[in-house]
Amino acid sequence: MAEVFRGKNVLVTGHTGFKGSWLCIWLIMLGAKVTGYALDPVHTEDNFVVTGLKDQMRDIRADVRDLMALQKTFAEVRPEFVFHLAAQPLVRYSYENPVGTYATNVMGTLNVLECIRHSEVTRVGVMVTTDKCYENKEQIWGYRENDALGGYDPYSASKGCAEILTTSYRNSYMNSKEYSRHGKSIATARAGNVIGGGDWALDRIIPDVIRALKEKRSVEVRNPEATRPWQHVLEPLGGYLRLAAKMYDHGEDYSGAWNFGPDFDSVCPVKTVVEAVIEAWGSGTWCSVGKENSPHEAGLLSLDCTKAKTLLGWKPKLKLKDAIAYTVEWYQSTEDKYELCVNQIERYESELRSI
């Protein structure tokens, strides 16, 4: 991938967020000239902050809902690659702020697509959504890319809308059949629940567990039986990078939707993850605090990633135990956080080379 990204202008929206910060570090390691476009980080201990990432890249603070600011950034940066990760990413918060959630996740995506459409240099757009964009029927088998989109809660539905919007733009303005004319490739990437160091978002299980363990109190778990596909953040990011590299060279063949989820043995209940984190941490307890009349959250969700495995040569490498070990290492380590992230990426790349 370094041959593809070295020296290229890459724009990452949402770079101050959890996944965005890790992606930027990886792109920097690959030799890309990285620009980030996002709001301020939420927490003073977020990965973006503690790694000092703002000093390693061009850091633009602005809102994806601001089309004029985004257009100005595209004009200045002239990105060949765009990774769109800026979002309102929390299910429970989307119940409290549905208008803001839809505005960011739908109109923000529209603005990015519009900028890509009018850019003379952008060749690749990877629009990151979520596995929750599917119409979840609580089925035991994984969803494929051609399954129906939907979304019960405002967050999930907003991501389903973003998927439909992206498909519309691709069909209308950047159709693969006319690739030789416009030279642009647009894809969506749908990942499962990601874990890893530097995530402090509210109402996410790993940050909730780590906060409780650091404060030496019992971990309160809302929905211990809910089953999710768990994966370390580097797994889907590796998929996004591999996809973008393929799109750059063969854009007409790799546009469309892609799933990046863990193998079936990493699809497990929340309580299993909590217990594994406590074991890796070395101490701690947990208790169930499920309440009646709580907002609806999916009970069962998994992805079928046959397409990515077959056509991209991508596959998840880390077992759940390994993903948790990477994660706990980050939170417990006193090492320089940027160097720790680099070290974990290098170790992960070594694991990939062994496939």
Side-chain angles (χ1 to χ4, degrees):
M1 291 188 296
E3 294 302 315
V4 176
F5 290 106
R6 185 178 295 116
K8 301 295 196 308
N9 291 324
V10 180
L11 177 65
V12 178
T13 71
H15 70 293
T16 58
F18 169 48
K19 289 173 73 176
S21 63
W22 276 94
L23 178 60
C24 289
I25 293 171
W26 202 339
L27 283 164
I28 292 168
M29 293 171 63
L30 292 171
K33 294 184 286 187
V34 184
T35 297
Y37 180 103
L39 298 176
D40 293 337
V42 175
H43 197 284
T44 57
E45 294 184 74
D46 282 345
N47 191 55
F48 176 84
V49 178
V50 297
T51 57
L53 187 52
K54 67 180 180 63
D55 298 323
Q56 304 289 333
M57 58 182 289
R58 185 176 181 182
D59 173 28
I60 297 175
R61 303 296 173 86
D63 197 319
V64 289
R65 293 172 292 186
D66 186 340
L67 179 58
M68 291 185 62
L70 196 59
Q71 289 171 329
K72 179 181 178 182
T73 296
F74 267 75
E76 293 176 352
V77 175
R78 296 176 60 80
E80 295 164 83
F81 293 85
V82 175
F83 292 89
H84 175 48
L85 286 82
Q88 192 300 96
L90 302 174
V91 172
R92 287 171 65 86
Y93 181 71
S94 75
Y95 282 104
E96 300 174 17
N97 186 12
V99 173
T101 298
Y102 280 103
T104 298
N105 295 351
V106 181
M107 295 307 297
T109 298
L110 174 62
N111 289 342
V112 173
L113 287 167
E114 185 69 356
C115 288
I116 292 174
R117 178 167 81 95
H118 289 290
S119 171
E120 296 178 353
V121 296
T122 303
R123 289 177 54 177
V124 172
V126 177
M127 320 299 285
V128 176
T129 62
T130 174
D131 59 351
K132 297 177 182 64
C133 68
Y134 291 105
E135 181 185 355
N136 189 3
K137 301 175 182 178
E138 307 279 340
Q139 62 191 31
I140 60 174
W141 51 88
Y143 292 96
R144 293 182 176 179
E145 287 85 350
N146 58 357
D147 281 333
L149 299 172
Y152 184 106
D153 56 87
Y155 166 73
S156 302
S158 72
K159 287 296 190 175
C161 291
E163 286 278 353
I164 295 170
L165 172 61
T166 303
T167 299
S168 172
Y169 254 68
R170 182 169 53 243
N171 291 339
S172 301
Y173 306 112
M174 295 165 274
N175 197 297
S176 295
K177 295 178 181 179
E178 300 174 355
Y179 181 75
S180 60
R181 177 181 60 81
H182 56 72
K184 298 180 187 296
S185 182
I186 305 295
T188 56
R190 307 163 180 176
N193 284 34
V194 295
I195 64 175
D199 182 12
W200 292 102
L202 295 175
D203 289 329
R204 281 193 187 144
I205 189 61
I206 294 299
D208 287 350
V209 172
I210 298 300
R211 275 188 284 264
L213 294 176
K214 282 180 171 288
E215 296 168 10
K216 300 187 184 303
R217 54 182 173 81
S218 184
V219 179
E220 297 183 348
V221 182
R222 292 192 311 272
N223 197 358
E225 301 299 332
T227 300
R228 300 283 190 275
W230 306 94
Q231 58 189 152
H232 191 270
V233 64
L234 295 180
E235 300 271 41
L237 295 186
Y240 305 165
L241 290 169
R242 184 180 291 259
L243 171 61
K246 293 282 190 180
M247 292 166 68
Y248 188 80
D249 290 331
H250 306 283
E252 68 274 25
D253 297 326
Y254 292 93
S255 293
W258 299 83
N259 285 343
F260 296 100
D263 286 329
F264 188 73
D265 57 2
S266 291
V267 179
C268 61
V270 171
K271 67 178 182 181
T272 300
V273 174
V274 173
E275 290 168 353
V277 173
I278 289 173
E279 180 180 359
W281 189 267
S283 63
T285 61
W286 73 274
C287 61
S288 176
V289 293
K291 298 179 181 178
E292 294 183 4
N293 301 319
S294 293
H296 173 273
E297 295 182 78
L300 176 62
L301 183 61
S302 64
L303 295 175
D304 182 324
C305 302
T306 302
K307 180 181 177 182
K309 292 177 181 179
T310 303
L311 300 181
L312 294 179
W314 173 89
K315 63 182 295 186
K317 181 62 180 178
L318 301 177
K319 300 297 184 183
L320 180 59
K321 182 178 180 180
D322 300 321
I324 289 173
Y326 270 59
T327 302
V328 171
E329 176 190 39
W330 192 99
Y331 286 104
Q332 288 188 326
S333 176
T334 58
E335 181 183 345
D336 177 271
K337 293 300 187 186
Y338 188 87
E339 292 303 318
L340 177 58
C341 289
V342 169
N343 179 265
Q344 289 195 343
I345 292 171
E346 289 176 341
R347 281 154 50 194
Y348 179 72
E349 288 180 324
S350 178
E351 293 282 348
L352 289 181
R353 286 190 290 270
S354 70
I355 294 178

